[in-house]
Amino acid sequence: MTCAHKDTTDRTSYDVIVIGGGAAGLNAALVLARARRTVAVVDAGAPRNAPAAHMHGFLSRDGVPPLTVLETGRAEIVRYGAAVIDAEVDQVEAAEAGGYVVRLAGGAALDARHVVLASGLRDELPEIPGLRALWGNDVHFCPYCHGYEVRDQPIVVLGVHPASPGQALLLRQWSPDVVYVPHGRPLTDEERERLAARGIAVAEGPVSALVGKDGRLHAVELADGRALECAAVFAFPEMSPNDAAFDGLGCEKDEGGRLVTDRAGRTSRPGLWAVGNVVDSRAQAITAAGMGAAAAFALNHELVDEETERDLAAYRAAGRSPESPVPAS
């Protein structure tokens, strides 16, 4: 992603470092910068939604290209004094004196009192010829993001994931012409009955390729030679969180291997936060942005509490009391 805003300061220590410059990370940084915190967003420039031409379901930003939204967000946080650093994060480590060290690819290191992980996830696409080239164009994952654009047109759903039958049932909301291809995952009797009840046809057999014409999807080709002409294909990717930066810090994970957080984004380790798709694969951009804001509110309160305790200790050590005269400025 082209970036017009880079960190040009000599600062290496921040109140908060945000890893990831998507909707979650940028919104967290915006709230924190407006709270007059020193904030840096470290971003590798590879947003998950980059292949999509437009984003949808985000109030006031519906239909806007995703990269435009991110560029606008970067400009907004820089206006409030936040830094944007174009780099990859290798690892986050606990600092001996408290806080954390964020080590960047190439050897640089930044210090932070708190770290917010907003690095999203990786979509691991099915290995079907032609699918990757059309991903984000005519091949999609989220019906809420792209179903309206193919309303009332032929849609094919690929059975590549346990949730694929449910995806087909959902897409019936947008089009009466939905065909389900089990591919390598046979349907159960109950799944088959539910699809039939919704008027969703099943085309048996594995997919051999997605066929395009002039850069657009034309048809889904089955192994037996049949071709299902369609306007869109929906396929569930396997999703893996980009959370390796927190490896070795002892943060609790759930049975699926994802970081466990509370509603504000706190991990089990004080000072470490995680928001957006890195902890919730279902979060759309607007949801992720809200998660970033919620974490920022809670994080700033924690910093205020830390600073109040520090100031209180100094106040008492100086022998001050509430009745002491206020020193002249």
Side-chain angles (χ1 to χ4, degrees):
M1 177 173 65
T2 301
C3 175
H5 307 287
K6 296 184 180 181
D7 181 25
T8 56
T9 73
D10 294 327
R11 177 183 289 276
T12 60
S13 182
Y14 296 87
D15 290 328
V16 185
I17 291 177
V18 180
I19 302 173
L26 289 174
N27 218 48
L30 178 64
V31 172
L32 290 164
R34 283 179 50 82
R36 307 190 72 180
R37 294 297 176 185
T38 55
V39 184
V41 174
V42 183
D43 184 52
R48 179 191 180 200
N49 58 3
H54 305 95
M55 64 182 295
H56 295 284
F58 199 133
L59 189 65
S60 82
R61 294 295 179 267
D62 189 77
V64 177
L67 297 186
T68 299
V69 173
L70 299 187
E71 285 291 344
T72 302
R74 284 186 169 207
E76 289 177 352
I77 69 169
V78 168
R79 189 166 71 235
Y80 290 108
V84 176
I85 301 171
D86 293 326
E88 293 185 11
V89 172
D90 278 345
Q91 196 67 40
V92 177
E93 301 170 357
E96 290 185 6
Y100 296 92
V101 178
V102 178
R103 299 198 181 278
L104 309 183
L110 305 172
D111 298 319
R113 295 167 66 185
H114 287 241
V115 178
V116 179
L117 188 66
S119 48
L121 55 78
R122 299 181 302 280
D123 288 320
E124 298 172 11
L125 304 182
E127 292 296 331
I128 297 174
L131 186 149
R132 187 175 298 275
L134 294 166
W135 182 252
N137 186 355
D138 295 322
V139 180
H140 307 290
F141 152 63
C142 175
Y144 290 102
C145 299
H146 304 288
Y148 187 83
E149 281 61 48
V150 292
R151 63 195 181 279
D152 299 325
Q153 299 182 65
I155 298 171
V156 172
V157 178
L158 305 183
V160 293
H161 190 277
S164 294
Q167 189 182 39
L169 293 172
L170 183 59
L171 280 159
R172 180 61 180 78
Q173 176 69 22
W174 282 271
S175 175
D177 189 354
V178 179
V179 176
Y180 186 85
V181 182
H183 193 51
R185 183 185 175 279
L187 287 165
T188 66
D189 291 342
E190 181 181 357
E191 289 169 340
R192 192 177 297 276
E193 183 180 32
R194 292 172 70 84
L195 292 172
R198 288 284 280 169
I200 298 170
V202 176
E204 300 290 353
V207 175
S208 60
L210 270 58
V211 180
K213 285 186 178 180
D214 300 322
R216 302 301 302 270
L217 175 68
H218 174 64
V220 174
E221 187 176 88
L222 304 184
D224 62 9
R226 286 177 294 161
L228 306 174
E229 294 188 8
C230 56
V233 163
F234 281 77
F236 241 100
E238 292 291 338
M239 302 175 191
S240 302
N242 293 318
D243 59 7
F246 279 7
D247 285 354
L249 290 169
C251 295
E252 181 184 354
K253 293 191 175 185
D254 62 21
E255 293 179 355
R258 289 186 177 273
L259 290 165
V260 173
T261 64
D262 67 7
R263 293 183 62 184
R266 296 179 184 86
T267 70
S268 59
R269 176 150 186 164
L272 298 181
W273 306 70
V275 294
N277 283 150
V278 74
V279 290
D280 185 355
S281 60
R282 300 168 299 175
Q284 291 184 295
I286 192 168
T287 313
M291 294 170 72
F297 297 145
L299 193 162
N300 187 61
H301 276 275
E302 288 199 6
L303 289 175
V304 169
D305 289 344
E306 291 173 16
E307 291 157 357
T308 301
E309 291 302 314
R310 178 201 64 197
D311 294 342
L312 182 60
Y315 180 86
R316 289 170 174 170
R320 300 283 302 280
S321 71
E323 291 76 27
S324 299
V326 175
S329 58

